[in-house]
Amino acid sequence: MTMWTPRLDPSLRGITEQLVAALAADVDAGTLVPGTQLPTQRELSDRLGIALGTVTRAYAIARKRGFITSTIGRGTFVSSDAGAAADDTTPVDLIQNFVMRDPRDSILRESGHFHFDPSRMAALIDRDQTPAGSPAHREALASWVSRPGFEVHPDHIVITAGTQHAMFIVLATFMKPGEIIAAEQVTYAGIQPIASMLHLELLGLAQDAEGIIPADFDKACAAGARVLYTTPTFHNPTGITMSAARRRDVAAIAKRHDVTILEDDVYGFLAPDPPPPIAAFAPDRTFFCTSTSKSVAAGIRVGVAVCPPAAAARVAAAVRTTIWESPPVMAEMVMQWIRTGVLARIIDAKRTELLARNELAASVLGSSPHSTCAHLWLQLPSRWRPQDFVTTCQERGVLISAADAFAVERATAPNAVRVCLGAARTRERLERGLRVIADVLASTPAGFALT
Ligand SMILES: Cc1ncc(COP(=O)(O)O)c(C=O)c1O
C-alpha cells in the first residue's frame, strides 16, 4: 500500500473535490501508477484530519470517474485506465520543459539497467572526496560530450550537480559584483536569480534566425560585458540554433574583447547533427555546460562543465565550496548508462518522440515539422498580449508561458509565448492542448474592440 499524501488545492471548492483533483494530478504526474494500492478511507481520514464521510465521498466520485477500483476484502487500487480518466480532468501541462515523463516510458524501464557492484559501491561511498569527479566518471562524460571537432579531455571536465549549478559556480568564480553578463534578449529564466544573487547585471542581445546578432554582441562587449551566456542549440525559449558561421563570429568577437563565454548545451543532445559548439572555436575562454536533467530526467542530475584548461582547478574548487562533490553514486549510474549504450537509446527515443510531436504541432499550428526541439516559440498576432493569451489558454485547461518570463528587460518582451512539447504524457493529450492554442490564436481577446 502506498503512503499517498494528497496535495490539496485550497482554491477548489470543498475538500471532496480537492481530494479527487489531487488524485487526478498525481495520476497525471505519474506519482500514482495503475495497480497502486491506496490508503484505506479510515487511514486517509485519520492522516489528513478530515471526516471519514468526506473521504468516502471522494473515493466514490473517483471510482465513478474511472480513477480507482475497489474490491471488498482487497482494498482500493489505481485503475488500469486512470491515465485516460486524468486526461479529462487535469490541465494539459505545456509549461515544463522536459521530455517523456510517463512512468511506463522507456526511461524508467531503462533505469532498471543499473547494476550495483558491491566492491565499486564500497569505493564510491567511502573514498576521499574528489571535487571534479572521479577519473572514470569524467572519462565517460568526456566521451559523451565529445564530437567531431570537439574532443574533450577528461582533465578539463568538472562534474557538477546539473547545468544550473555549473552556471552558478562558473559565474561566482570568475565575476565580480556589478559586472555585466550579455545574454539573448529572451533567455533561460534560471540565469536571472543567479545574476541577482551574485549582484551581476544582465544585458539583452538581439537575435535573428541564425542566433545572436554579432554587431549587438560587439556593442555589448564595448559597453563592458565580461561574460556571454548563450544557449546556441535549441535556444530556450526561441528554439533557434545558432549557425556555425555565427558561432565562429561570436567566438572571434569574444576573443577581441577578452570576454568569457558560458555556453549552455543542455538541449544540444536533441539535435542529431548540431554545428560545432562555440567552445570548439574558443576553447581557452569557453565553459561548455550540460547535464543529464533533460537528456535523462529531471531527477538524474549529473552536470558537466568542460572548462578552459587553465580554469578547471578553480571550478573544481567551487564545487568543493558549494557541495564538496557531485553525488558520485549518480555519476556512477550515468557512467554505466554511457558505457552500455542505455543513454544513447534514451536520447534516441526522445528525439523520435519529439520529431513526432513537432509534426503534430506543425499540423495543428503550422510550425516547422522537422525539428526535434522540445519547445515552440509562438509569435502572437498584435491583438493578443502574451499574458492575456496565457490566461485564456489556462481558463481552457492548457498551461503555457508568456514571453515576459524569459525577458532580460521585461519592458521590451516580444509578443510571444513558449509551448513545451515534451511534458504532456501522451501525444493525444498534447494534441488536445495544441488545438486549444490554435483556437485561442484564431479568436479575439475578450474586451478587444476595433476603433
Ligand atoms: C537553457 C537551460 N539551461 C539550464 C537549465 C537547467 O538545467 P539543469 O536541470 O541541468 O540544472 C534549463 C532548465 O530548464 C534550461 O532550460
Side-chain angles (χ1 to χ4, degrees):
M1 188 188 303
T2 175
M3 273 299 291
W4 181 59
T5 302
R7 284 160 296 163
L8 303 180
D9 175 359
S11 70
L12 296 175
R13 203 153 26 96
I15 307 265
T16 309
E17 258 319 307
Q18 290 177 20
L19 260 177
V20 178
L23 191 62
D26 282 345
V27 165
D28 182 49
T31 316
L32 288 177
V33 295
T36 307
Q37 185 169 13
L38 290 170
T40 63
Q41 296 168 22
R42 167 135 339 262
E43 194 194 329
L44 202 54
S45 105
D46 286 349
R47 193 138 49 81
L48 299 180
I50 58 180
L52 179 61
T54 305
V55 180
T56 305
R57 258 193 318 279
Y59 271 28
I61 293 172
R63 214 166 14 250
K64 206 158 151 205
R65 292 190 190 163
F67 291 123
I68 58 176
T69 52
S70 304
T71 312
I72 293 168
R74 283 196 62 224
T76 301
F77 298 84
V78 177
S79 70
S80 57
D81 50 2
D87 283 355
D88 294 336
T89 43
T90 50
V92 181
D93 178 353
L94 307 184
I95 281 193
Q96 301 199 67
N97 215 347
F98 45 55
V99 190
M100 295 156 69
R101 65 199 176 102
D102 187 330
R104 288 155 292 186
D105 76 22
S106 61
I107 294 170
L108 292 190
R109 280 205 304 272
E110 294 279 20
S111 67
H113 290 243
F114 178 47
H115 302 294
F116 283 90
D117 171 343
S119 61
R120 279 283 301 154
M121 285 308 287
L124 279 176
I125 58 179
D126 287 339
R127 69 178 157 72
D128 289 340
Q129 309 279 344
T130 47
S134 86
H137 297 164
R138 282 187 281 122
E139 206 169 288
L141 288 163
S143 74
W144 181 49
V145 295
S146 287
R147 57 200 78 168
F150 184 57
E151 289 302 324
V152 174
H153 193 285
D155 287 353
H156 304 156
I157 281 197
V158 174
I159 302 178
T160 66
T163 313
Q164 183 81 10
H165 180 225
M167 289 160 59
F168 182 83
I169 58 176
V170 166
L171 294 174
T173 303
F174 296 98
M175 293 195 82
K176 294 194 201 66
E179 288 185 332
I180 300 171
I181 313 172
E184 289 94 346
Q185 206 161 63
V186 280
T187 185
Y188 165 52
I191 188 73
Q192 308 256 12
I194 295 180
S196 139
M197 198 172 210
L198 298 176
H199 308 286
L200 305 171
E201 301 291 328
L202 275 168
L203 186 63
L205 304 175
Q207 296 185 89
D208 60 17
E210 283 191 63
I212 290 169
I213 296 177
D216 221 40
F217 178 40
D218 198 43
K219 219 160 69 195
C221 295
R226 290 255 302 106
V227 168
L228 168 69
Y229 166 68
T230 180
T231 309
T233 303
F234 291 150
H235 173 256
N236 180 14
T238 63
I240 293 171
T241 291
M242 200 185 281
S243 66
R246 198 58 72 80
R247 292 172 193 230
R248 190 177 293 114
D249 289 350
V250 164
I253 294 167
K255 204 167 178 175
R256 200 160 61 242
H257 292 276
D258 193 21
V259 162
T260 298
I261 300 169
L262 179 54
E263 178 172 15
D264 181 342
D265 193 59
V266 80
Y267 298 108
F269 74 96
L270 285 173
D273 192 17
I278 301 177
F281 298 109
D284 294 338
R285 60 183 59 254
T286 305
F287 294 88
F288 172 94
C289 304
T290 188
S291 86
T292 51
S293 72
K294 308 286 177 187
S295 47
V296 183
I300 314 264
R301 304 190 56 76
V302 176
V304 174
V306 180
C307 303
R314 285 185 69 191
V315 176
V319 170
R320 190 178 51 228
T321 303
T322 48
I323 56 170
W324 282 108
E325 174 182 38
S326 299
V329 174
M330 208 176 266
E332 176 83 1
M333 184 163 89
V334 168
M335 179 188 77
Q336 273 192 21
W337 287 352
I338 292 170
R339 286 184 177 168
T340 55
V342 168
L343 183 57
R345 280 209 300 283
I346 291 173
I347 288 173
D348 204 47
K350 290 194 182 213
R351 283 189 197 147
T352 305
E353 179 64 20
L354 277 171
L355 186 60
R357 288 180 179 222
N358 274 281
E359 277 164 6
L360 179 61
S363 73
V364 179
L365 298 173
S367 52
S368 161
H370 303 302
S371 180
T372 46
C373 186
H375 48 269
L376 285 182
W377 188 237
L378 209 58
Q379 297 291 340
L380 300 178
S382 58
R383 63 180 180 279
W384 279 105
R385 297 264 68 86
Q387 196 49 55
D388 296 338
F389 190 84
V390 165
T391 307
T392 307
C393 288
Q394 187 176 355
E395 284 163 3
R396 296 187 53 183
V398 180
L399 310 179
I400 54 173
S401 313
D404 313 39
F406 311 99
V408 167
E409 288 129 32
R410 294 243 154 123
T412 54
N415 196 25
V417 292
R418 187 189 70 178
V419 178
C420 291
L421 301 177
R425 204 162 35 77
T426 60
R427 284 186 214 166
E428 292 68 31
R429 199 157 158 70
L430 172 65
E431 179 168 358
R432 215 178 75 208
L434 293 171
R435 292 211 178 279
V436 167
I437 292 171
D439 214 31
V440 176
L441 210 49
S443 72
T444 301
F448 181 84
L450 291 172
T451 51

